[in-house]
Amino acid sequence: MTVLETRSSERSQRAGRRARREAGGGISGGKQTWRHLTNPLEPQRAFSDDQIAAIHDSALRVLEELGIRVLNDRAIELFRRAGARIDEAEGMVFIDRGLVANALASAPASFTIGGGSPERDVAIGGRSAAFACVGGPPNVIDLDRGRRSGTEADMLDFFRLSQHFEVLHMQGSSVEPQDVPVHLRHYAQMLGQLRLSDKPMFAYARGTAQAEDTWQMIRLGRGLSAEAFQARPWCFTVINTNSPRQLDGPMCNGIIDFAEAGQATIITPFTLMGAMAPVTIAGALTLQHAEALAGIALSQLARPGAPVVYGSFTSNVDMKSGSPAFGTPEFVRAAFGAGQLARHVNLPWRGSGATASNAPDAQSAYEFMNSAWGTLLGGVNVMLHAAGWLESGLSASLDKFVLDVEMLQMFAHLFLSAEQETDGLFEAIAEVGPGGHFFGSAHTLARYETAFYEPLVSDWRNFGQWTDDGALTATERANRIWKRVIADFEPPPVDPARIEAVEDYIARRTREGGAPPET
């Protein structure tokens, strides 16, 4: 076969694959080997070991001498019993370093969140890396309908997309469905995940009543006894401290409720440099570390050994407008430093893939890539907002979801490629004479389907082929892909009796008035 014939054959194969996809033949969710990722890249450092130890010591001093305001009687009582000094008038809790050390000693360095089947379990900690989609935006954006308030239908579409793509390991909270009242929203969210996904689930932490509803829905939907549910985490939540140095009532109740139930809590200070935190990276990380340690200590006082993740969301702001900035050099360095601090206290670490862009454009791509690389090179265990985040978290983008998934698949392939086989390399070179080509060599033909990453959105074609194919941009192709995935979506097998039991429970609780969130 000549070089031209080989290239012609390759073009025909690529065209055939494109034609099958365009005809509705389905979009691959990815390789099953992407279900459980191990990051082989060495974690990058922003600070020396001595500097990290100094930041840790400064954070302990902040908790001991300056304290943290705790606006919750349950939490204050737990701290009091553990020996913390309480200023009743100001609601300040002063946490000594011995209390923090005891909490860190009981917090697990790693754990596993259960899915609908053992194959869907997700390991958290060590070298593992898990991705979850966008969570929390009140708005949704796509090319067809523009920016609009998120609905329950939008929330369910994001659940479908998260289930479909293997490189997403856990469900995120998706969008906030504005057409569902807040006192009923947790029912819609949990039912949607149980019906459409067998991956580990996100759960709201908006009050004890909602938490108890959630535990019951998970037990019914996953077919778990009370003992089996308590024995390991089956869901996770995110608690953001109210920086600087404050834990409000719902946050404290969330930490306590999830810890007592044995479910995973990602405790994440929201420390933006120059706004809610000191303007330097070291200063912001010191405050972040103090607040994270306070939340972690509370979780361990509620239940020693409760699964908890050290969360970080430190970045800078535009000092002219006060708006948060993401994907910046400061974000990357803060991610490196946060990873170092998490490893210093021997806890799993959460980071994010974020952008401040208002559209799925070049800015959103390079900011997301910077955020993701900073987070992954920092040694992250859980990357939230890994697909679909836009507008600093105010919007979720269906189109960008697919663009982000393609980047995540590239990361996953990079991780897997670190251990490629090395057998037969000399023979492969010897097979092809000087000036020949490897397109049709035995070595290539035996490996080409697994050797390379097959793009999800871009097909890496030259200009002539691109224009012949309709000259679609990456965003336009992504728009076609998410629509096709949703149209062809089939949920994983689930026992109808379990879903019916969840629906009956929701109907009864709705008649009773639901569960208003705590304020």
Side-chain angles (χ1 to χ4, degrees):
M1 182 180 288
T2 67
V3 174
L4 291 178
E5 287 171 338
T6 301
R7 289 175 178 172
S8 177
S9 176
E10 290 293 321
R11 285 197 297 270
S12 297
Q13 291 177 28
R14 288 196 299 268
R17 288 196 295 268
R18 285 199 304 273
R20 287 192 294 274
R21 290 200 296 265
E22 296 299 328
I27 298 296
S28 171
K31 301 177 182 179
Q32 208 171 70
T33 50
W34 293 346
R35 285 191 180 184
H36 307 285
L37 292 181
T38 298
N39 185 349
L41 306 177
E42 286 301 316
Q44 298 298 300
R45 298 151 54 92
F47 302 95
S48 69
D49 290 343
D50 288 344
Q51 289 172 318
I52 288 295
I55 290 174
H56 178 68
D57 185 72
S58 295
L60 294 176
R61 186 181 175 194
V62 168
L63 293 177
E64 285 183 316
E65 299 180 22
L66 302 179
I68 185 168
R69 178 172 287 122
V70 178
L71 305 176
N72 181 278
D73 291 339
R74 293 171 73 195
I76 288 176
E77 185 58 28
L78 285 172
F79 280 120
R80 188 196 313 279
R81 291 178 185 174
R85 181 167 60 90
I86 311 296
D87 182 335
E88 303 283 359
E90 297 294 329
M92 297 297 294
V93 176
F94 300 87
I95 307 171
D96 68 74
R97 60 188 61 212
L99 192 160
V100 173
N102 289 337
L104 292 175
S106 69
S110 62
F111 57 89
T112 299
I113 301 182
S117 65
E119 293 77 17
R120 288 299 193 187
D121 291 354
V122 173
I124 306 295
R127 287 278 190 164
S128 66
F131 302 140
C133 81
V134 61
N139 303 301
V140 175
I141 295 178
D142 64 65
L143 287 179
D144 306 283
R145 293 164 289 182
R147 186 179 187 270
R148 62 193 188 281
S149 292
T151 65
E152 182 177 3
D154 291 317
M155 178 185 71
L156 298 179
D157 281 344
F158 278 98
F159 289 157
R160 292 182 178 97
L161 291 171
S162 290
Q163 172 66 22
H164 176 79
F165 291 107
E166 294 284 10
V167 78
L168 291 166
H169 307 98
M170 305 186 294
Q171 289 288 346
S173 65
S174 183
V175 300
E176 289 285 335
Q178 303 300 302
D179 56 344
V180 180
V182 178
H183 69 290
L184 303 176
R185 195 170 293 173
H186 62 298
Y187 300 128
Q189 194 221 42
M190 191 54 60
L191 178 61
Q193 291 180 89
L194 289 168
R195 285 180 56 243
L196 300 174
S197 178
D198 59 0
K199 297 182 180 182
M201 296 175 289
F202 174 89
Y204 288 128
R206 293 177 176 171
T208 301
Q210 290 200 7
E212 291 175 349
D213 278 339
T214 297
W215 311 153
Q216 183 61 15
M217 288 186 285
I218 293 175
R219 288 193 291 263
L220 292 171
R222 294 284 197 238
L224 303 170
S225 66
E227 294 74 19
F229 175 78
Q230 283 270 349
R232 63 181 299 192
W234 297 91
C235 66
F236 72 97
T237 196
V238 177
I239 300 292
N240 295 120
T241 57
N242 192 350
S243 305
R245 293 191 298 128
Q246 184 163 276
L247 281 168
D248 66 25
M251 295 170 185
C252 291
N253 278 335
I255 293 172
I256 296 169
D257 292 336
F258 274 71
E260 289 180 343
Q263 304 308 299
T265 307
I266 301 176
I267 298 175
T268 309
F270 191 54
T271 40
L272 294 178
M273 290 176 265
M276 294 93 78
V279 75
T280 62
I281 293 174
L285 289 177
T286 299
L287 181 62
Q288 169 195 286
H289 197 57
E291 294 178 0
L293 292 178
I296 291 163
L298 178 57
S299 76
Q300 299 307 299
L301 293 178
R303 178 175 170 173
V308 65
V309 175
Y310 181 105
S312 67
F313 202 71
T314 294
S315 191
N316 57 309
V317 298
D318 181 340
M319 295 302 289
K320 295 180 180 179
S321 66
S323 299
F326 299 106
T328 60
E330 291 80 9
F331 182 101
V332 174
R333 288 187 62 199
F336 292 169
Q340 289 182 268
L341 288 168
R343 290 188 292 278
H344 185 77
V345 296
N346 197 29
L347 287 177
W349 170 48
R350 166 259 163 122
S352 299
T355 174
S357 178
N358 296 326
D361 55 7
Q363 177 188 345
S364 75
Y366 67 69
E367 287 182 351
F368 173 81
M369 185 64 83
N370 284 343
S371 298
W373 265 123
T375 299
L376 292 171
L377 289 176
V380 76
N381 299 114
V382 180
M383 188 163 86
L384 300 186
H385 312 306
W389 166 289
L390 207 59
E391 198 188 353
S392 300
L394 291 177
S395 294
S397 168
L398 289 157
D399 305 314
K400 186 172 180 290
F401 188 105
V402 174
L403 297 173
D404 291 343
V405 162
E406 178 159 38
M407 292 191 199
L408 297 178
Q409 290 180 343
M410 292 181 189
F411 291 131
H413 191 74
L414 171 65
F415 293 171
L416 297 176
S417 297
E419 308 229 353
Q420 284 183 354
E421 62 180 83
T422 56
D423 295 338
L425 300 185
F426 179 86
E427 291 76 10
I429 296 172
E431 179 186 353
V432 177
H437 67 82
F438 289 83
F439 284 112
S441 71
H443 185 270
T444 298
L445 293 175
R447 295 168 175 80
Y448 78 97
E449 288 189 344
T450 57
F452 305 110
Y453 168 73
E454 182 175 354
L456 175 68
V457 177
S458 58
D459 268 347
W460 300 335
R461 289 159 291 150
N462 63 35
F463 187 80
Q465 292 172 316
W466 179 66
T467 53
D468 291 342
D469 194 36
L472 297 179
T473 66
T475 305
E476 290 167 339
R477 291 179 63 80
N479 181 267
R480 288 188 178 187
I481 289 172
W482 69 255
K483 290 176 183 175
R484 203 171 310 127
V485 168
I486 290 172
D488 296 342
F489 181 80
E490 294 183 8
V494 61
D495 185 347
R498 292 180 182 177
I499 298 301
E500 184 178 355
V502 176
E503 292 171 337
D504 289 345
Y505 178 83
I506 292 173
R508 176 174 65 81
R509 290 290 292 127
T510 300
R511 290 193 300 270
E512 294 170 352
E518 295 174 359
T519 58

Short mmCIF file of all heavy atoms in Angstrom, two decimals, residues 156-204:
data_model
loop_
_atom_site.label_atom_id
_atom_site.label_comp_id
_atom_site.label_asym_id
_atom_site.label_seq_id
_atom_site.Cartn_x
_atom_site.Cartn_y
_atom_site.Cartn_z
N LEU A 156 -32.05 17.63 34.87
CA LEU A 156 -32.06 16.24 34.47
C LEU A 156 -31.18 16.00 33.24
O LEU A 156 -30.54 14.95 33.12
CB LEU A 156 -33.50 15.78 34.19
CG LEU A 156 -34.45 15.83 35.40
CD1 LEU A 156 -35.84 15.37 35.00
CD2 LEU A 156 -33.92 15.00 36.56
N ASP A 157 -31.13 16.98 32.33
CA ASP A 157 -30.26 16.83 31.16
C ASP A 157 -28.79 16.77 31.58
O ASP A 157 -28.01 15.98 31.02
CB ASP A 157 -30.48 17.98 30.18
CG ASP A 157 -31.73 17.79 29.33
OD1 ASP A 157 -32.24 16.65 29.28
OD2 ASP A 157 -32.19 18.78 28.71
N PHE A 158 -28.40 17.57 32.55
CA PHE A 158 -27.02 17.51 33.02
C PHE A 158 -26.74 16.17 33.71
O PHE A 158 -25.64 15.63 33.60
CB PHE A 158 -26.71 18.68 33.96
CG PHE A 158 -26.38 19.96 33.24
CD1 PHE A 158 -27.34 20.94 33.04
CD2 PHE A 158 -25.10 20.18 32.76
CE1 PHE A 158 -27.03 22.11 32.36
CE2 PHE A 158 -24.77 21.34 32.08
CZ PHE A 158 -25.75 22.32 31.88
N PHE A 159 -27.72 15.62 34.41
CA PHE A 159 -27.55 14.29 35.00
C PHE A 159 -27.34 13.25 33.90
O PHE A 159 -26.51 12.34 34.03
CB PHE A 159 -28.76 13.91 35.85
CG PHE A 159 -28.89 14.67 37.14
CD1 PHE A 159 -30.12 14.79 37.77
CD2 PHE A 159 -27.79 15.25 37.75
CE1 PHE A 159 -30.25 15.48 38.95
CE2 PHE A 159 -27.90 15.95 38.94
CZ PHE A 159 -29.15 16.07 39.54
N ARG A 160 -28.10 13.37 32.82
CA ARG A 160 -27.95 12.42 31.70
C ARG A 160 -26.55 12.52 31.09
O ARG A 160 -25.92 11.51 30.81
CB ARG A 160 -29.02 12.69 30.63
CG ARG A 160 -30.45 12.37 31.08
CD ARG A 160 -31.45 12.61 29.96
NE ARG A 160 -32.80 12.28 30.37
CZ ARG A 160 -33.70 13.16 30.81
NH1 ARG A 160 -33.40 14.46 30.87
NH2 ARG A 160 -34.91 12.76 31.18
N LEU A 161 -26.11 13.73 30.86
CA LEU A 161 -24.78 13.91 30.27
C LEU A 161 -23.70 13.38 31.21
O LEU A 161 -22.75 12.72 30.76
CB LEU A 161 -24.55 15.39 29.97
CG LEU A 161 -25.40 16.00 28.85
CD1 LEU A 161 -25.22 17.52 28.81
CD2 LEU A 161 -25.03 15.40 27.50
N SER A 162 -23.82 13.64 32.49
CA SER A 162 -22.82 13.16 33.45
C SER A 162 -22.80 11.64 33.51
O SER A 162 -21.75 11.02 33.66
CB SER A 162 -23.11 13.73 34.85
OG SER A 162 -22.85 15.11 34.90
N GLN A 163 -23.97 11.03 33.40
CA GLN A 163 -24.03 9.57 33.40
C GLN A 163 -23.40 9.00 32.13
O GLN A 163 -22.71 7.98 32.17
CB GLN A 163 -25.49 9.11 33.52
CG GLN A 163 -25.71 7.62 33.34
CD GLN A 163 -25.09 6.77 34.43
OE1 GLN A 163 -24.82 7.28 35.53
NE2 GLN A 163 -24.85 5.50 34.16
N HIS A 164 -23.62 9.66 31.01
CA HIS A 164 -23.20 9.11 29.72
C HIS A 164 -21.69 9.03 29.58
O HIS A 164 -21.15 8.04 29.08
CB HIS A 164 -23.78 9.96 28.59
CG HIS A 164 -23.33 9.53 27.23
ND1 HIS A 164 -23.89 8.46 26.56
CD2 HIS A 164 -22.37 10.03 26.41
CE1 HIS A 164 -23.30 8.31 25.38
NE2 HIS A 164 -22.37 9.25 25.26
N PHE A 165 -20.99 10.07 30.02
CA PHE A 165 -19.55 10.15 29.76
C PHE A 165 -18.77 9.48 30.89
O PHE A 165 -18.84 9.91 32.04
CB PHE A 165 -19.12 11.60 29.57
CG PHE A 165 -19.64 12.22 28.30
CD1 PHE A 165 -20.66 13.16 28.34
CD2 PHE A 165 -19.13 11.84 27.08
CE1 PHE A 165 -21.15 13.73 27.17
CE2 PHE A 165 -19.62 12.40 25.90
CZ PHE A 165 -20.63 13.34 25.95
N GLU A 166 -18.00 8.45 30.53
CA GLU A 166 -17.28 7.67 31.53
C GLU A 166 -16.24 8.48 32.28
O GLU A 166 -15.89 8.16 33.42
CB GLU A 166 -16.58 6.48 30.85
CG GLU A 166 -17.52 5.45 30.27
CD GLU A 166 -18.15 4.55 31.31
OE1 GLU A 166 -18.00 4.84 32.53
OE2 GLU A 166 -18.78 3.57 30.94
N VAL A 167 -15.73 9.53 31.67
CA VAL A 167 -14.67 10.31 32.30
C VAL A 167 -15.20 11.16 33.45
O VAL A 167 -14.42 11.73 34.22
CB VAL A 167 -13.95 11.18 31.25
CG1 VAL A 167 -14.77 12.44 30.90
CG2 VAL A 167 -12.54 11.54 31.70
N LEU A 168 -16.52 11.28 33.59
CA LEU A 168 -17.12 11.91 34.76
C LEU A 168 -17.49 10.80 35.73
O LEU A 168 -18.27 9.90 35.40
CB LEU A 168 -18.34 12.74 34.37
CG LEU A 168 -18.01 13.99 33.56
CD1 LEU A 168 -19.25 14.58 32.92
CD2 LEU A 168 -17.33 15.03 34.45
N HIS A 169 -16.96 10.86 36.92
CA HIS A 169 -17.04 9.73 37.85
C HIS A 169 -18.16 9.87 38.87
O HIS A 169 -18.64 8.85 39.40
CB HIS A 169 -15.70 9.59 38.58
CG HIS A 169 -14.55 9.51 37.64
ND1 HIS A 169 -13.77 10.62 37.32
CD2 HIS A 169 -14.07 8.49 36.90
CE1 HIS A 169 -12.84 10.26 36.45
NE2 HIS A 169 -13.00 8.98 36.16
N MET A 170 -18.55 11.10 39.15
CA MET A 170 -19.61 11.35 40.13
C MET A 170 -20.57 12.38 39.57
O MET A 170 -20.20 13.20 38.74
CB MET A 170 -19.02 11.86 41.45
CG MET A 170 -17.95 10.96 42.05
SD MET A 170 -17.42 11.52 43.69
CE MET A 170 -16.63 13.08 43.29
N GLN A 171 -21.80 12.32 40.01
CA GLN A 171 -22.74 13.38 39.68
C GLN A 171 -22.38 14.64 40.46
O GLN A 171 -21.91 14.57 41.59
CB GLN A 171 -24.17 12.96 40.01
CG GLN A 171 -24.74 11.90 39.11
CD GLN A 171 -25.07 12.41 37.71
OE1 GLN A 171 -25.11 13.62 37.47
NE2 GLN A 171 -25.31 11.50 36.79
N GLY A 172 -22.58 15.81 39.84
CA GLY A 172 -22.49 17.07 40.57
C GLY A 172 -23.89 17.53 40.92
O GLY A 172 -24.88 16.86 40.61
N SER A 173 -23.99 18.66 41.56
CA SER A 173 -25.33 19.15 41.92
C SER A 173 -26.09 19.67 40.71
O SER A 173 -27.28 19.98 40.80
CB SER A 173 -25.24 20.23 42.99
OG SER A 173 -24.58 21.39 42.50
N SER A 174 -25.40 19.79 39.55
CA SER A 174 -26.04 20.26 38.33
C SER A 174 -26.49 21.72 38.52
O SER A 174 -25.82 22.49 39.18
CB SER A 174 -27.21 19.34 37.96
OG SER A 174 -27.83 19.71 36.76
N VAL A 175 -27.61 22.09 37.93
CA VAL A 175 -28.11 23.46 38.05
C VAL A 175 -29.19 23.53 39.13
O VAL A 175 -29.78 22.52 39.50
CB VAL A 175 -28.69 23.97 36.71
CG1 VAL A 175 -27.63 23.94 35.63
CG2 VAL A 175 -29.90 23.14 36.28
N GLU A 176 -29.43 24.73 39.61
CA GLU A 176 -30.51 24.95 40.58
C GLU A 176 -31.81 25.14 39.79
O GLU A 176 -31.97 26.15 39.11
CB GLU A 176 -30.23 26.18 41.43
CG GLU A 176 -29.11 26.00 42.42
CD GLU A 176 -29.52 25.15 43.61
OE1 GLU A 176 -30.73 25.08 43.92
OE2 GLU A 176 -28.63 24.53 44.22
N PRO A 177 -32.74 24.18 39.86
CA PRO A 177 -33.98 24.30 39.09
C PRO A 177 -34.89 25.37 39.69
O PRO A 177 -35.52 25.17 40.73
CB PRO A 177 -34.59 22.90 39.19
CG PRO A 177 -34.05 22.34 40.46
CD PRO A 177 -32.68 22.93 40.63
N GLN A 178 -34.96 26.50 39.03
CA GLN A 178 -35.72 27.63 39.57
C GLN A 178 -37.23 27.40 39.54
O GLN A 178 -37.98 28.14 40.19
CB GLN A 178 -35.38 28.90 38.78
CG GLN A 178 -33.90 29.24 38.77
CD GLN A 178 -33.33 29.48 40.15
OE1 GLN A 178 -33.79 30.35 40.88
NE2 GLN A 178 -32.35 28.68 40.54
N ASP A 179 -37.69 26.38 38.80
CA ASP A 179 -39.12 26.09 38.76
C ASP A 179 -39.55 25.09 39.83
O ASP A 179 -40.70 24.67 39.85
CB ASP A 179 -39.53 25.58 37.37
CG ASP A 179 -38.73 24.35 36.93
OD1 ASP A 179 -37.67 24.07 37.54
OD2 ASP A 179 -39.16 23.68 35.97
N VAL A 180 -38.63 24.71 40.70
CA VAL A 180 -38.95 23.81 41.82
C VAL A 180 -38.71 24.58 43.12
O VAL A 180 -37.60 25.06 43.35
CB VAL A 180 -38.09 22.54 41.80
CG1 VAL A 180 -38.45 21.63 42.97
CG2 VAL A 180 -38.25 21.81 40.47
N PRO A 181 -39.72 24.71 43.99
CA PRO A 181 -39.52 25.43 45.26
C PRO A 181 -38.39 24.83 46.08
O PRO A 181 -38.16 23.61 46.03
CB PRO A 181 -40.88 25.27 45.96
CG PRO A 181 -41.86 24.98 44.88
CD PRO A 181 -41.10 24.21 43.83
N VAL A 182 -37.69 25.67 46.82
CA VAL A 182 -36.51 25.21 47.54
C VAL A 182 -36.85 24.12 48.55
O VAL A 182 -36.04 23.21 48.77
CB VAL A 182 -35.81 26.41 48.23
CG1 VAL A 182 -34.60 25.95 49.02
CG2 VAL A 182 -35.40 27.45 47.20
N HIS A 183 -38.03 24.17 49.16
CA HIS A 183 -38.37 23.16 50.17
C HIS A 183 -38.69 21.80 49.54
O HIS A 183 -38.79 20.79 50.24
CB HIS A 183 -39.54 23.63 51.04
CG HIS A 183 -40.86 23.72 50.33
ND1 HIS A 183 -41.14 24.67 49.37
CD2 HIS A 183 -41.97 22.96 50.44
CE1 HIS A 183 -42.36 24.50 48.93
NE2 HIS A 183 -42.90 23.46 49.56
N LEU A 184 -38.81 21.76 48.20
CA LEU A 184 -39.05 20.50 47.49
C LEU A 184 -37.90 20.14 46.55
O LEU A 184 -37.90 19.05 45.97
CB LEU A 184 -40.35 20.60 46.67
CG LEU A 184 -41.64 20.96 47.42
CD1 LEU A 184 -42.79 21.10 46.43
CD2 LEU A 184 -41.96 19.91 48.49
N ARG A 185 -36.93 21.01 46.41
CA ARG A 185 -35.90 20.85 45.38
C ARG A 185 -35.04 19.61 45.61
O ARG A 185 -34.63 18.94 44.67
CB ARG A 185 -35.04 22.10 45.33
CG ARG A 185 -34.17 22.22 44.10
CD ARG A 185 -33.55 23.60 44.01
NE ARG A 185 -34.54 24.64 43.78
CZ ARG A 185 -34.29 25.94 43.79
NH1 ARG A 185 -33.05 26.37 44.03
NH2 ARG A 185 -35.24 26.82 43.59
N HIS A 186 -34.78 19.29 46.88
CA HIS A 186 -33.93 18.13 47.15
C HIS A 186 -34.61 16.83 46.73
O HIS A 186 -33.94 15.86 46.39
CB HIS A 186 -33.53 18.08 48.62
CG HIS A 186 -34.66 17.94 49.58
ND1 HIS A 186 -35.65 18.89 49.69
CD2 HIS A 186 -34.96 16.97 50.50
CE1 HIS A 186 -36.51 18.52 50.64
NE2 HIS A 186 -36.12 17.35 51.13
N TYR A 187 -35.95 16.81 46.72
CA TYR A 187 -36.66 15.61 46.25
C TYR A 187 -36.42 15.41 44.75
O TYR A 187 -36.11 14.31 44.28
CB TYR A 187 -38.16 15.73 46.51
CG TYR A 187 -38.54 15.90 47.96
CD1 TYR A 187 -39.37 16.94 48.37
CD2 TYR A 187 -38.06 15.03 48.94
CE1 TYR A 187 -39.73 17.11 49.68
CE2 TYR A 187 -38.42 15.20 50.27
CZ TYR A 187 -39.24 16.24 50.64
OH TYR A 187 -39.59 16.41 51.95
N ALA A 188 -36.59 16.49 43.99
CA ALA A 188 -36.41 16.40 42.53
C ALA A 188 -34.98 16.03 42.19
O ALA A 188 -34.72 15.23 41.28
CB ALA A 188 -36.79 17.73 41.88
N GLN A 189 -34.03 16.62 42.92
CA GLN A 189 -32.63 16.36 42.61
C GLN A 189 -32.24 14.92 42.90
O GLN A 189 -31.60 14.25 42.09
CB GLN A 189 -31.74 17.31 43.42
CG GLN A 189 -30.32 17.34 42.92
CD GLN A 189 -29.32 17.36 44.05
OE1 GLN A 189 -29.46 16.65 45.03
NE2 GLN A 189 -28.29 18.17 43.89
N MET A 190 -32.67 14.41 44.06
CA MET A 190 -32.29 13.04 44.41
C MET A 190 -33.01 12.01 43.54
O MET A 190 -32.41 11.02 43.10
CB MET A 190 -32.58 12.79 45.89
CG MET A 190 -31.99 11.51 46.44
SD MET A 190 -30.19 11.35 46.15
CE MET A 190 -29.57 12.79 47.03
N LEU A 191 -34.29 12.24 43.26
CA LEU A 191 -35.02 11.31 42.40
C LEU A 191 -34.40 11.28 41.00
O LEU A 191 -34.26 10.21 40.39
CB LEU A 191 -36.49 11.72 42.31
CG LEU A 191 -37.38 10.86 41.39
CD1 LEU A 191 -37.41 9.41 41.87
CD2 LEU A 191 -38.79 11.43 41.31
N GLY A 192 -34.02 12.45 40.49
CA GLY A 192 -33.39 12.50 39.17
C GLY A 192 -32.11 11.69 39.11
O GLY A 192 -31.86 10.95 38.15
N GLN A 193 -31.28 11.79 40.12
CA GLN A 193 -30.03 11.04 40.14
C GLN A 193 -30.29 9.53 40.25
O GLN A 193 -29.64 8.72 39.59
CB GLN A 193 -29.15 11.50 41.30
CG GLN A 193 -28.59 12.91 41.12
CD GLN A 193 -27.72 13.32 42.29
OE1 GLN A 193 -26.51 13.09 42.28
NE2 GLN A 193 -28.33 13.93 43.29
N LEU A 194 -31.25 9.14 41.09
CA LEU A 194 -31.53 7.73 41.29
C LEU A 194 -32.13 7.10 40.03
O LEU A 194 -31.88 5.93 39.73
CB LEU A 194 -32.48 7.54 42.47
CG LEU A 194 -31.87 7.82 43.85
CD1 LEU A 194 -32.96 7.90 44.92
CD2 LEU A 194 -30.86 6.73 44.21
N ARG A 195 -32.92 7.86 39.28
CA ARG A 195 -33.56 7.33 38.08
C ARG A 195 -32.59 7.29 36.90
O ARG A 195 -32.68 6.39 36.06
CB ARG A 195 -34.78 8.18 37.69
CG ARG A 195 -36.00 7.98 38.56
CD ARG A 195 -37.16 8.86 38.11
NE ARG A 195 -37.48 8.65 36.71
CZ ARG A 195 -37.37 9.57 35.76
NH1 ARG A 195 -36.96 10.79 36.05
NH2 ARG A 195 -37.69 9.29 34.50
N LEU A 196 -31.69 8.26 36.81
CA LEU A 196 -30.91 8.44 35.59
C LEU A 196 -29.46 8.01 35.71
O LEU A 196 -28.74 8.01 34.70
CB LEU A 196 -30.96 9.91 35.16
CG LEU A 196 -32.35 10.47 34.85
CD1 LEU A 196 -32.26 11.97 34.58
CD2 LEU A 196 -32.99 9.74 33.67
N SER A 197 -28.99 7.67 36.91
CA SER A 197 -27.56 7.45 37.08
C SER A 197 -27.29 6.36 38.10
O SER A 197 -28.06 6.17 39.05
CB SER A 197 -26.89 8.76 37.53
OG SER A 197 -25.51 8.58 37.74
N ASP A 198 -26.17 5.67 37.91
CA ASP A 198 -25.69 4.72 38.93
C ASP A 198 -24.34 5.16 39.48
O ASP A 198 -23.62 4.38 40.10
CB ASP A 198 -25.62 3.30 38.36
CG ASP A 198 -24.70 3.18 37.15
OD1 ASP A 198 -24.10 4.21 36.74
OD2 ASP A 198 -24.58 2.07 36.61
N LYS A 199 -23.99 6.43 39.26
CA LYS A 199 -22.75 6.97 39.80
C LYS A 199 -22.99 7.56 41.19
O LYS A 199 -24.13 7.87 41.56
CB LYS A 199 -22.20 8.04 38.86
CG LYS A 199 -21.83 7.51 37.47
CD LYS A 199 -21.24 8.57 36.58
CE LYS A 199 -20.87 7.99 35.21
NZ LYS A 199 -20.25 8.99 34.31
N PRO A 200 -21.93 7.71 42.01
CA PRO A 200 -22.10 8.35 43.31
C PRO A 200 -22.76 9.72 43.17
O PRO A 200 -22.53 10.44 42.19
CB PRO A 200 -20.66 8.47 43.83
CG PRO A 200 -19.96 7.31 43.18
CD PRO A 200 -20.55 7.22 41.81
N MET A 201 -23.55 10.08 44.18
CA MET A 201 -24.45 11.22 44.06
C MET A 201 -24.03 12.41 44.92
O MET A 201 -23.42 12.25 45.98
CB MET A 201 -25.86 10.79 44.46
CG MET A 201 -26.46 9.74 43.56
SD MET A 201 -28.08 9.17 44.15
CE MET A 201 -27.57 8.24 45.59
N PHE A 202 -24.43 13.58 44.46
CA PHE A 202 -24.34 14.79 45.27
C PHE A 202 -25.62 14.95 46.07
O PHE A 202 -26.71 14.60 45.60
CB PHE A 202 -24.14 16.02 44.37
CG PHE A 202 -24.17 17.32 45.12
CD1 PHE A 202 -23.01 17.85 45.66
CD2 PHE A 202 -25.37 18.01 45.32
CE1 PHE A 202 -23.04 19.04 46.37
CE2 PHE A 202 -25.40 19.20 46.03
CZ PHE A 202 -24.23 19.72 46.56
N ALA A 203 -25.50 15.51 47.28
CA ALA A 203 -26.68 15.78 48.10
C ALA A 203 -26.57 17.17 48.69
O ALA A 203 -25.49 17.63 49.08
CB ALA A 203 -26.81 14.74 49.21
N TYR A 204 -27.70 17.86 48.74
CA TYR A 204 -27.75 19.18 49.37
C TYR A 204 -27.50 19.07 50.88
O TYR A 204 -27.89 18.08 51.51
CB TYR A 204 -29.12 19.83 49.16
CG TYR A 204 -29.41 20.30 47.76
CD1 TYR A 204 -30.60 19.91 47.13
CD2 TYR A 204 -28.55 21.14 47.07
CE1 TYR A 204 -30.91 20.35 45.85
CE2 TYR A 204 -28.85 21.58 45.79
CZ TYR A 204 -30.03 21.18 45.18
OH TYR A 204 -30.34 21.62 43.92
#
